Amino acid sequence: MILDLGLPQMQGLDVLKRWRANNRQTPVLVLTARGSWAEKVDGLNAGADDYITKPFHIPEVAARLKALIRRSSGLASPVLAHRGIVLDSANGQVTRDGVPVEMTARDLKMLNYFMHRLGRIVSQAELTEHLYTLDEARESNTIEVYVSRLRRKLGADVIKTVRGLGYRMD
């Protein structure tokens, strides 16, 4: 969740305090123009997981959001490992049983998505939303092509097809 403190009907810190009082565990990044050290301390003490002041750089916000997502999933490290596959998302490197595997940017993005959702079914629509921007052209079978390519690179048994629902990495 990205929260601005200057909301029109209620202060952002009050919203955050209510969420935390109701045991909402969603990670919260405060993005605001209020940048004094005391305001930052108040925001973090109210339950914010991170705090960025304006002006900001989009790559920094994106990196902080990714870190929040990793931590909220119990994955504080940029290195993910599963069944001999190691993905270092900070360096964009993948190994299978210690052997480097060449990956395209889209391969890395898809593998990262699967590794953050181990054991869960991921639909084709969900993968399409994650892999493509709204204005990118795509063919109807591109997801199948990318899954097939990951299977060739990492092993046929790594990603299972769940008929009628999508894919699952066990």
Side-chain angles (χ1 to χ4, degrees):
M1 176 79 57
I2 299 175
L3 178 65
D4 192 341
L5 298 183
L7 300 175
Q9 295 180 352
M10 178 185 284
Q11 289 298 308
L13 277 186
D14 294 332
V15 171
L16 181 56
K17 288 175 186 175
R18 285 184 185 183
W19 285 344
R20 295 307 188 219
N22 288 319
N23 289 323
R24 290 202 176 145
Q25 300 300 314
T26 304
V28 175
L29 171 75
V30 170
L31 187 63
T32 184
R34 301 176 190 174
S36 75
W37 69 267
E39 289 166 320
K40 290 178 184 178
V41 168
D42 288 344
L44 293 168
N45 284 336
D49 297 285
D50 203 349
Y51 196 107
I52 298 180
T53 56
K54 298 173 187 174
F56 55 85
H57 297 281
I58 296 294
E60 179 185 8
V61 174
R64 287 176 181 261
L65 287 170
K66 286 178 186 176
L68 281 177
I69 291 166
R70 281 194 312 269
R71 285 195 303 269
S72 70
S73 302
L75 305 168
S77 169
V79 178
L80 303 171
H82 178 67
R83 294 179 51 199
I85 299 167
V86 177
L87 166 62
D88 184 340
S89 58
N91 297 330
Q93 297 174 336
V94 175
T95 59
R96 171 72 192 221
D97 298 324
V99 179
V101 179
E102 287 294 319
M103 294 279 188
T104 66
R106 197 148 278 154
D107 292 339
L108 287 167
K109 198 170 184 180
M110 181 178 269
L111 179 60
N112 189 33
Y113 198 75
F114 274 119
M115 289 187 81
H116 276 95
R117 288 154 187 80
L118 291 174
R120 295 186 218 159
I121 295 172
V122 179
S123 70
Q124 282 192 10
E126 187 178 345
L127 285 169
T128 300
E129 269 184 45
H130 179 71
L131 292 175
Y132 294 98
T133 61
L134 292 175
D135 58 345
E136 275 185 286
R138 57 200 118 160
E139 299 294 323
S140 61
N141 70 334
T142 54
I143 297 302
E144 292 97 337
V145 170
Y146 289 124
V147 169
S148 176
R149 192 162 64 192
L150 276 180
R151 286 175 175 152
R152 272 195 317 275
K153 292 179 178 187
L154 301 173
D157 64 331
V158 171
I159 299 171
K160 305 226 180 332
T161 298
V162 181
R163 298 245 181 253
L165 298 174
Y167 304 97
R168 181 177 55 228
M169 186 173 191
D170 291 323

